[in-house]
Amino acid sequence: PYHPVPLSLSICLWQMAINNIMSHWSRSNSENPTAQVTAKEALLSLVQGTEGKAWSASQSGWSSGSPLSVCQWEGITCKIGFNDSLSKVTSIRLPNAGLSGTIPTELGQLTYLEEFNLKGNLIRGSIPSELANLKQLNHLDLSDCLLTGTLPNRFESSTLSMLLLNENGLSGHFFNDETSPHLTSIQEIRLENNLLTGTIHSPTILQMGNLNTLSLSQNEISGVIPGYALGSLSNLEYLYLDSNNLVGPLPANLAQAGKSKIKELWVQSNALSGTVPATYERFDKLTDFFIDDNRLTGALTPNLCGPEINADFFNLIPDDAEEKNYCDHIACPAGSVGAEGVYPCSSCVGGDAAKLQNPYLGLRGACLHLTQRDALITLYEATSGNRSWTGDGDWDEFAAAFSGEGWTGGNDSVDESKMICALSGVSCDGHRNVIGISLRNRNLEGSIPWEIGLGLPFLEVLDLSDNYLTGYLPSDLRWTALTKLDMSGNQIRGVVPPLLCMIGELNANGDEDVFYCNRVACPAGSYNAIGRHGANGLECIPCYDGNPFIGQKTCTVTKNPNDKSTWDKGVETLEKSVESISITWQFALIFVMMVWSVSVATCCYIRYSNLRHNQRKYQAMQNTAESDSDDSDEEYDEGEMPNYQDDEEQPRKKHKSYKDPAEYEYESEEDALSPPRDLIENSIEIKTSYSPGSQLATDAEYESDDDETEMRRASFSGVDVRHNRNQSPSLELSLQSSSKYRSKSLVAKTMINRTMGYSIEQVSKAFSTKAQPLKVEDDSFDNNPRAVKQSRSSDALEVLTGMNNVDFGDEYDRGVQSDEEAMRAKNRRLKEQLLDIPMLS
């Protein structure tokens, strides 16, 4: 009476909607300041320990016994209501107030909070998610505190404009969720002097259309500068990326036409390489530009240099001084050095040779004069760490012999070049130039020094795989003659420097002028057996174990944990869709579902009622048939049915209209031996089918008790009047052995008896020579009462509709063809007699 799929879907939607409403109601209660904790209790959660009590004693309010309203406490601002309970705390401003403690989760109950400023206090711990989930927050300043933990990846306020968390110990990644609500409204982000890692996520940056200031200085951020994303921010004026581990070139598309409004650009103290793009001349409002202490080469374009850029360096120099060079205050040129990499600059001794040793802009400290010996000693010292190298101890002896001599001196008593070429893992050419270093699995620990790139210009092979190296891959290796580089199996972070990827023939790179960085090392989040893309087509495979290292050879999680089945994704999408609907629309959805559910229930009830009605009607018809059968009980002398043990022993009841052959009156003995005239005129061919193995009934067999019992056990299955002018009328009775539908056998007998005035025995006896056996039927009607009922109804209808056009065949034509009117009258009488049969009526 019902369809299971709509009903199941209805139940599922009902459950999700109710759960969502309940969760919304729960959140509404939790956001209500009076639902769980009062505003006073939330504010007093900031007072912690003895130090907190001492602090609160020196403040106005800030105690549970204070007679002042919370809106009158020191540093608290409210949106005033009709009474204190209806007033909403909108601002907590306590900068440099000497407050000590952690940020309590109870502050999440202040759902109207717009500003939270605890700058310069002794605030420890992490930033709770309850604070990041405040949806009205506009200004968050926790700079210069003692915060640790990870930076929240999402802030739920779509009005957050200032996020000041600098000068703390926050770790984790810079924002990489482009769906965070705060991105579109944020104007100032200050996260300098923290411990942030990872890369700058371009899709996230593109969402910050209102961003004016971005400060990520002095962190551990790696990768490249997303020039297009940052250059697309038309409101960006202050960009500070200095003192990180950024590699690659300065992006030319950072200065996009019509959008270049940057006033201050700090990128010093990274590992940037390449040259300074000429497009930076578009920064016509630029006042601060620092690029020193990188791996930048070339020269600055004159149009980029001017007195308005980094003007502070020239405050003490007269305007007419001849030595003034406006490009020097951006970075010292190649072949020179400065204390801070900018003006004043001094040239290195050695002319053009010195420029080859000091090719970088903005070099700090002292000029470089690196030899093979200096590069190898630096390698040994940088990778010794707390471990001792395994293998031969010749490196220890080598370092002891030449340590402490600086970058230029030498030990004349020792043939250093011979000793260098004799070191384990070192190979030289005929001129004793170091061309190969292989220190695989030697227990190295530390970072790869950039000096080997400038001190070993003939180096072709460098194998430092399967050690404990950390840090970043230096772009200075591009100055060597490398054809093979293997850094796999270590813990090196970041990305492969783009200029290192451009070295032709390095690890078979550059085939058909196509260069791939994964030929140097598999990027973070991937791996394979050799830690890099192989020349034989070995690809880097995705890895999901969370390791941020490049060149990995193993992986503990190879299947993406975020992958879900189609059903799970569908359910999750539906749940998110329901959650995203406002509460008004949720109630509207529930109303529609209620109407739909009532409609489904009504349809189910109607179907069920119809089914019950049909069942009762069918039962009534069966009862009527049984009552008609019971009318034959008057044939018994005492008026009661004998008590038979089973159905087979019980004799067949006779219908009251049944006429026994013995009662038929004959005029003469000759008439009794021949068929009556009216029976011949109304000749009917009786076809019977008995149980398997029975033969066609004869005169003697009809008189036997067994055959009579079999006839009585036969059940009426169907009636068919065949219309064919060339054949005699054939009324076919399909008789099937059964013990269930005995009353139907009586109907069949009655039908013959009432229609023709003769019993089955007489008709069969008269035409036994014509009778033909039918194919024995199965017991399908015994197992399907409804089929019997439908067959009876349809076949009876065929009798009624076909009787008017029956052609009685050749035998009848010989006696009555001359009088067609008599034939029509005969047909009408037959039809009237059929209408008196109980089954058909």
Side-chain angles (χ1 to χ4, degrees):
Y2 63 88
H3 199 289
V5 174
L7 188 59
S8 301
L9 180 60
S10 176
I11 295 173
C12 179
L13 291 175
W14 265 104
Q15 184 177 5
M16 290 177 58
I18 292 174
N19 291 339
N20 198 40
I21 293 297
M22 294 301 295
S23 63
H24 178 87
W25 182 266
S26 177
R27 288 196 303 269
S28 299
N29 287 339
S30 65
E31 292 173 358
N32 188 346
T34 60
Q36 295 182 4
V37 298
T38 63
K40 176 182 289 188
E41 292 172 338
L43 292 173
L44 289 177
S45 63
L46 283 168
V47 180
Q48 303 166 12
T50 56
E51 295 179 354
K53 292 180 180 180
W55 174 84
S56 65
S58 62
Q59 304 293 322
S60 176
W62 289 98
S63 65
S64 58
S66 175
L68 298 177
S69 168
V70 294
C71 298
Q72 297 175 313
W73 289 8
E74 185 74 23
I76 303 300
T77 303
C78 294
K79 182 183 294 184
I80 305 300
F82 291 105
N83 52 53
D84 186 58
S85 62
L86 296 178
S87 298
K88 312 300 182 184
V89 176
T90 59
S91 175
I92 301 175
R93 190 183 297 109
L94 296 170
N96 302 307
L99 181 64
S100 177
T102 61
I103 302 176
T105 59
E106 287 81 358
L107 293 180
Q109 306 296 326
L110 304 176
T111 55
Y112 293 90
L113 190 64
E114 299 176 359
E115 180 182 2
F116 187 53
N117 186 349
L118 295 182
K119 173 184 178 180
N121 287 284
L122 302 177
I123 305 300
R124 300 176 297 274
S126 61
I127 301 175
S129 60
E130 288 79 3
L131 182 63
N133 291 336
L134 291 175
K135 295 185 177 181
Q136 302 295 329
L137 196 61
N138 177 268
H139 184 115
L140 178 60
D141 190 351
L142 296 174
S143 58
D144 196 15
C145 292
L146 303 175
L147 294 174
T148 56
T150 59
L151 175 70
N153 196 33
R154 290 177 61 93
F155 285 87
E156 299 298 333
S157 174
S158 59
T159 60
L160 183 63
S161 61
M162 299 185 67
L163 181 62
L164 311 179
L165 301 174
N166 52 295
E167 309 294 336
N168 283 287
L170 296 174
S171 59
H173 293 73
F174 181 65
F175 303 118
N176 56 12
D177 184 359
E178 59 268 26
T179 64
S180 180
H182 79 280
L183 299 177
T184 56
S185 61
I186 197 70
Q187 298 179 14
E188 183 175 358
I189 298 178
R190 301 189 66 93
L191 292 169
E192 67 267 21
N193 287 306
N194 279 285
L195 302 173
L196 300 178
T197 58
T199 61
I200 302 175
H201 200 227
S202 295
T204 303
I205 294 295
L206 287 172
Q207 301 299 319
M208 301 180 182
N210 293 314
L211 187 64
N212 175 265
T213 302
L214 176 61
S215 178
L216 298 174
S217 304
Q218 301 184 41
N219 281 281
E220 296 293 330
I221 295 175
S222 58
V224 298
I225 298 175
Y228 174 77
L230 291 170
S232 300
L233 304 180
S234 58
N235 294 314
L236 184 63
E237 295 181 345
Y238 304 95
L239 180 60
Y240 307 104
L241 302 176
D242 55 291
S243 301
N244 282 283
N245 294 293
L246 297 171
V247 297
L250 279 171
N253 52 7
L254 181 62
Q256 298 181 19
K259 298 181 180 180
S260 304
K261 297 182 179 180
I262 291 182
K263 297 179 179 179
E264 297 186 9
L265 177 59
W266 294 14
V267 293
Q268 71 271 21
S269 300
N270 282 286
L272 300 173
S273 54
T275 60
V276 179
T279 57
Y280 283 15
E281 295 179 4
R282 295 172 179 169
F283 294 140
D284 52 358
K285 297 181 180 180
L286 193 64
T287 59
D288 285 9
F289 183 37
F290 299 105
I291 61 172
D292 54 282
D293 195 22
N294 278 286
R295 301 293 182 266
L296 297 172
T297 57
L300 296 172
T301 58
N303 293 334
L304 186 59
C305 306
E308 68 279 358
I309 298 179
N310 300 344
D312 295 341
F313 291 100
F314 294 93
N315 288 337
L316 301 178
I317 301 176
D319 293 337
D320 57 351
E322 296 181 358
E323 70 273 13
K324 184 180 295 186
N325 186 335
Y326 290 110
C327 287
D328 288 355
H329 66 275
I330 296 177
C332 292
S336 63
V337 67
E340 297 183 2
V342 294
Y343 179 88
C345 305
S346 57
S347 299
C348 297
V349 178
D352 292 338
K355 289 184 178 181
L356 294 176
Q357 286 281 322
N358 300 273
Y360 301 135
L361 298 176
L363 185 62
R364 292 181 181 182
C367 295
L368 301 176
H369 298 281
L370 295 174
T371 64
Q372 292 186 142
R373 182 200 64 181
D374 299 328
L376 293 175
I377 290 178
T378 303
L379 174 62
Y380 176 78
E381 293 176 349
T383 58
S384 294
N386 298 323
R387 302 172 184 269
S388 298
W389 284 21
T390 58
D392 297 337
D394 51 352
W395 282 82
D396 297 332
E397 298 175 1
F398 171 73
F402 295 98
S403 61
E405 295 182 357
W407 294 112
T408 58
N411 191 336
D412 297 337
S413 61
V414 178
D415 188 350
E416 71 175 44
S417 61
K418 183 177 180 180
M419 190 174 183
I420 288 173
C421 294
L423 291 173
S424 59
V426 175
S427 58
C428 299
D429 60 10
H431 300 282
R432 294 186 178 180
N433 296 315
V434 176
I435 60 173
I437 298 176
S438 180
L439 298 174
R440 179 179 179 273
N441 198 20
R442 292 287 297 271
N443 211 31
L444 276 65
E445 180 184 16
S447 60
I448 303 173
W450 60 267
E451 287 84 357
I452 63 176
L454 294 174
L456 301 174
F458 300 99
L459 186 64
E460 299 177 1
V461 177
L462 179 61
D463 187 355
L464 301 178
S465 60
D466 300 331
N467 285 288
Y468 301 93
L469 298 176
T470 58
Y472 301 87
L473 190 61
S475 64
D476 309 84
L477 294 176
R478 71 183 186 272
W479 300 112
T480 65
L482 281 175
T483 59
K484 180 181 179 182
L485 175 62
D486 192 352
M487 317 303 301
S488 61
N490 287 283
Q491 299 177 7
I492 298 176
R493 296 174 177 267
V495 299
V496 177
L499 290 182
L500 196 58
C501 304
M502 299 299 294
I503 298 178
E505 299 183 358
L506 176 59
N507 295 347
N509 208 352
D511 293 344
E512 299 180 357
D513 295 329
V514 178
F515 298 86
Y516 299 97
C517 286
N518 58 8
R519 289 283 179 89
V520 179
C522 287
S526 64
Y527 79 106
N528 64 23
I530 62 176
R532 64 181 184 277
H533 180 85
N536 56 355
L538 182 62
E539 298 286 346
C540 297
I541 306 171
C543 179
Y544 304 97
D545 58 7
N547 287 330
F549 309 128
I550 63 175
Q552 291 299 290
K553 292 183 176 180
T554 59
C555 179
T556 57
V557 181
T558 58
K559 184 178 180 180
N560 190 351
N562 295 324
D563 285 346
K564 299 179 180 179
S565 63
T566 304
W567 172 259
D568 293 336
K569 289 181 180 179
V571 172
E572 183 178 352
T573 303
L574 185 59
E575 290 178 348
K576 288 182 179 180
S577 300
V578 174
E579 290 178 359
S580 63
I581 302 175
S582 64
I583 189 64
T584 303
W585 288 104
Q586 290 179 27
F587 280 115
L589 177 62
I590 289 180
F591 175 76
V592 173
M593 290 169 58
M594 289 176 62
V595 174
W596 182 64
S597 300
V598 171
S599 301
V600 172
T602 303
C603 293
C604 294
Y605 176 76
I606 292 174
R607 287 195 62 182
Y608 178 76
S609 300
N610 292 338
L611 179 62
R612 293 293 298 170
H613 175 73
N614 293 336
Q615 289 178 344
R616 289 194 295 268
K617 184 177 180 181
Y618 177 70
Q619 187 65 35
M621 294 175 63
Q622 285 186 331
N623 295 337
T624 302
E626 292 178 358
S627 63
D628 292 341
S629 178
D630 291 341
D631 292 340
S632 63
D633 291 347
E634 62 187 8
E635 298 294 333
Y636 297 98
D637 295 338
E638 298 180 1
E640 296 181 358
M641 293 287 291
N643 185 16
Y644 296 102
Q645 299 297 325
D646 51 34
D647 292 340
E648 295 184 358
E649 184 181 355
Q650 181 177 351
R652 186 64 174 155
K653 293 180 291 183
K654 299 180 180 179
H655 196 273
K656 59 184 179 180
S657 61
Y658 173 75
K659 184 175 182 180
D660 192 271
E663 299 176 1
Y664 193 86
E665 297 180 358
Y666 300 98
E667 296 179 358
S668 64
E669 182 178 355
E670 181 180 358
D671 294 338
L673 296 177
S674 61
R677 178 62 181 172
D678 58 345
L679 182 60
I680 294 176
E681 292 177 355
N682 297 281
S683 61
I684 296 177
E685 182 178 359
I686 305 299
K687 297 183 181 181
T688 61
S689 60
Y690 288 15
S691 60
S694 63
Q695 298 179 353
L696 180 63
T698 62
D699 295 358
E701 290 174 335
Y702 278 110
E703 297 174 356
S704 65
D705 295 338
D706 294 338
D707 292 333
E708 180 65 11
T709 302
E710 186 66 27
M711 282 291 277
R712 288 169 180 163
R713 295 180 60 235
S715 63
F716 176 76
S717 172
V719 178
D720 184 19
V721 176
R722 304 296 180 91
H723 182 105
N724 193 326
R725 180 172 293 276
N726 298 325
Q727 295 181 5
S728 60
S730 175
L731 181 63
E732 294 184 0
L733 298 179
S734 179
L735 302 175
Q736 184 178 24
S737 178
S738 171
S739 61
K740 287 175 119 179
Y741 305 105
R742 293 178 179 169
S743 61
K744 313 307 182 294
S745 178
L746 287 177
V747 172
K749 290 184 177 182
T750 303
M751 183 175 181
I752 299 298
N753 196 15
R754 294 280 301 273
T755 304
M756 302 302 177
Y758 297 98
S759 65
I760 292 178
E761 288 83 349
Q762 289 176 309
V763 174
S764 179
K765 183 176 180 179
F767 295 99
S768 60
T769 58
K770 290 185 178 182
Q772 296 180 0
L774 296 178
K775 182 179 178 181
V776 177
E777 299 181 1
D778 57 15
D779 292 338
S780 61
F781 285 102
D782 290 341
N783 299 325
N784 193 350
R786 180 175 294 184
V788 175
K789 177 182 176 183
Q790 293 175 348
S791 178
R792 290 207 327 266
S793 301
S794 61
D795 293 335
L797 182 61
E798 292 181 25
V799 172
L800 293 176
T801 57
M803 191 63 70
N804 290 331
N805 298 317
V806 172
D807 191 338
F808 287 90
D810 296 334
E811 291 185 4
Y812 183 82
D813 290 341
R814 286 194 297 268
V816 296
Q817 277 184 345
S818 61
D819 191 357
E820 294 183 359
E821 292 296 328
M823 177 178 168
R824 293 192 186 95
K826 181 73 67 177
N827 288 341
R828 283 196 295 273
R829 286 197 300 273
L830 292 176
K831 185 174 181 179
E832 291 173 356
Q833 291 173 347
L834 285 174
L835 290 175
D836 292 334
I837 299 176
M839 178 195 72
L840 299 178
S841 60

